[in-house]
Amino acid sequence: MQTPPTPAAADEDAEYADNLRRATLASSIGSALEYFDFALYGLATALIFNVLFFPQEDPAMATVAAFATFGVGFVARPFGGLFFGVLGDKFGRKIVLVITIVLMGGASTLIGVLPTYETAGLWAPALLVVLRLLQGFGAGAEQAGATVLMAEYAPVRRRGFFSALPFIGIMAGVLLAGLVFSLLTMLPESALMTWGWRVPFLASFLLIVLAVVIRARLHETPTFVEMEKHEQVADRPLREMFKHGFPSVLVGIGLRMGENGGSYMIQGLALSFFVTVVGPEADKSLLTWGVTIGSLIGMITVPVSGALSDRWGRRVVYRAGALFMLAYSFPAWWALTLGSYPIAIAVIAIGIGVAVCTMLGPQCAMLPELFGSRHRYLGVAMAREISAVLAGGLAGVLGAYLIAITDANWIVLAVYMAVLATITVVSTFLVPETLRRDLSRTDDAVKISRVEAGDDVWLGGSQPVAAGAVTSETTFSAVRSGQ
């Protein structure tokens, strides 16, 4: 017969459950805002910014330039991840998440009031680049913080599921962007190009206010609280990350190449490719429904794949998603050349909802599990944001350039996406299984050590917790075990 919890334990578990719900909501809103902004910007880049912010003597090169500004935001992300990641490991997860949401959302709102090339000349793209840099700088630590926050709050046996819940916010953000843009493109061309495109950027302000109010009430994660209590907080997390965590960063980058690069190829580049194939008469509003439907599918796929990773392990589920994307690359880009709207919508929807999201689900718990507690925020931020530059940021500008110089050759783009997926497949074989790893551990899951020194060999992670260390297994036991 199970012994009933004491009143003190019951109060502790009730408080933990309340904070878990608040953390889920706070992370979800931030994720929604980040991906609403980036999906919206990706859609606008392919269909609006290339016309309004750049000279039109060569439309193809104007599109390349527009995607270059899209990529600029990714360049700023690693610097934001580095700066705020250090702060998150030194001063806590909560304060950084408040700062990043204000910076990221504020820049997005200001995009909605920018002058166009026709009225401001070169100042228009210059200001657009500045705001993209600020947006990327804030976003560089936003998703990493949300990921770490939820992993450190989540019940151990259901960490994959709970960590994936805020990423429904990602799909919600992409869904909202797709819906908004689909509705906007139904406006007359003159209205869309004058004031219509500005509305969703200005509306970002509402999400900022909501997110700040919720995050201000959020408690610090149990893991960081215990670190502070036992004086385990790193004075120099950057130094520790480069000394001990760099192998995990490299593997994390590889894991993200297929998911992040494939996502931005499907969300933004596929629309530009289809318009190039069909011609100027292409109905842009129909195409964005692919993003909308894919996001709806992803709102189911992400938590389901996260939950499956709690049962079968992170690696096998992640690898399944990467293999699907690899197999999907060639038929997907070939199908877009048919010029069929229903087929194009299905290609985009399956690419986002199945290929990308099957990797995204287990990734939510897996990335934090790769890193030790003293440099986890920084490590996750570096893995996410360096990969965002190499995969997502490069995908837009390089893909647009490939479309221009190859006369929209689908094989080149299919090879590109297949290479990204292959990198991720290989990376799943270079990481140990991190399922149910104790997040209070200070060592990383991925190690490269010298055998002659008597240390763990490649892919260790079996070191015992230091004597006397307080682990997550001793805290909030009832809630964490799913009771």
Side-chain angles (χ1 to χ4, degrees), residues 171-172 174-175 266-267 287-302 345-357:
M171 296 301 106
V174 175
L175 171 63
I266 294 167
Q267 285 184 42
L287 292 176
T288 55
W289 283 105
V291 177
T292 303
I293 296 171
S295 302
L296 284 171
I297 297 172
M299 294 178 76
I300 299 172
T301 313
V302 169
I345 291 171
V347 165
I348 295 171
I350 294 172
I352 295 173
V354 180
V356 171
C357 290

Side-chain angles (χ1 to χ4, degrees), residues 61-329:
M61 287 299 105
T63 299
V64 172
F67 271 106
T69 66
F70 184 63
V72 160
F74 288 92
V75 174
R77 290 178 68 125
F79 296 99
L82 180 65
F83 179 78
F84 289 114
V86 170
L87 295 183
D89 282 322
K90 289 187 68 173
F91 303 112
R93 322 314 191 194
K94 172 185 171 179
I95 183 63
V96 173
L97 285 172
V98 173
I99 296 172
T100 55
I101 199 74
V102 172
L103 180 60
M104 180 181 64
S108 299
T109 302
L110 291 175
I111 289 176
V113 300
L114 285 180
T116 63
Y117 183 84
E118 183 179 0
T119 58
L122 292 177
W123 279 106
L127 291 171
L128 183 63
V129 167
V130 169
L131 291 180
R132 277 292 290 166
L133 286 170
L134 291 175
Q135 187 187 53
F137 194 75
E142 167 63 32
Q143 202 56 60
T147 301
V148 171
L149 182 81
M150 282 311 303
E152 291 184 347
Y153 256 115
V156 173
R157 292 184 176 275
R158 303 185 67 194
R159 185 183 292 151
F161 172 73
F162 275 95
S163 296
L165 289 181
F167 282 70
I168 295 178
I170 291 179
M171 296 301 106
V174 175
L175 171 63
L176 183 60
L179 281 171
V180 168
F181 215 82
S182 296
L183 294 173
L184 287 177
T185 52
M186 294 179 183
L187 292 171
E189 189 78 7
S190 59
L192 175 63
M193 291 298 186
T194 51
W195 60 268
W197 68 271
R198 299 179 184 275
V199 173
F201 287 100
L202 295 173
S204 298
F205 181 75
L206 299 176
L207 286 176
I208 299 172
V209 173
L210 181 59
V212 169
V213 169
I214 294 175
R215 289 183 176 186
R217 300 176 58 199
L218 185 65
H219 292 179
E220 190 53 78
T221 69
T223 300
F224 193 83
V225 169
E226 293 297 330
M227 287 172 59
E228 287 186 314
K229 185 184 299 183
H230 293 83
E231 299 182 349
Q232 293 179 327
V233 178
D235 292 327
R236 299 178 179 178
L238 181 61
R239 179 180 178 181
E240 287 202 10
M241 195 273 290
F242 276 103
K243 185 176 181 180
H244 302 294
F246 202 65
S248 292
V249 171
L250 292 178
V251 173
I253 290 171
L255 291 171
R256 289 262 296 161
M257 295 298 284
E259 174 266 320
N260 188 257
S263 175
Y264 282 101
M265 287 188 74
I266 294 167
Q267 285 184 42
L269 199 60
L271 299 181
S272 181
F273 176 79
F274 189 83
V275 170
T276 303
V277 170
V278 175
E281 67 276 8
D283 189 336
K284 301 171 184 177
S285 63
L286 287 177
L287 292 176
T288 55
W289 283 105
V291 177
T292 303
I293 296 171
S295 302
L296 284 171
I297 297 172
M299 294 178 76
I300 299 172
T301 313
V302 169
V304 167
S305 59
L308 290 177
S309 75
D310 284 329
R311 178 181 294 270
W312 297 337
R314 316 291 186 220
R315 292 189 303 177
V316 64
V317 179
Y318 209 120
R319 189 177 302 150
L323 287 171
F324 181 86
M325 176 168 282
L326 177 60
Y328 190 64
S329 298

Side-chain angles (χ1 to χ4, degrees), residues 10-97:
D11 290 343
E12 183 185 64
D13 290 343
E15 180 184 2
Y16 168 74
D18 183 60
N19 283 319
L20 178 61
R21 286 190 293 269
R22 189 177 294 129
T24 303
L25 183 58
S27 301
S28 299
I29 292 177
S31 299
L33 176 59
E34 177 184 355
Y35 277 79
F36 172 74
D37 289 338
F38 273 84
L40 185 67
Y41 197 99
L43 293 169
T45 297
L47 305 175
I48 291 178
F49 289 165
N50 58 328
V51 176
L52 293 183
F53 285 85
F54 299 93
Q56 294 300 298
E57 288 82 2
D58 187 342
M61 287 299 105
T63 299
V64 172
F67 271 106
T69 66
F70 184 63
V72 160
F74 288 92
V75 174
R77 290 178 68 125
F79 296 99
L82 180 65
F83 179 78
F84 289 114
V86 170
L87 295 183
D89 282 322
K90 289 187 68 173
F91 303 112
R93 322 314 191 194
K94 172 185 171 179
I95 183 63
V96 173
L97 285 172

Side-chain angles (χ1 to χ4, degrees), residues 458-473:
W458 169 247
L459 301 184
S462 58
Q463 290 181 332
V465 182
V470 177
T471 73
S472 59
E473 304 301 325

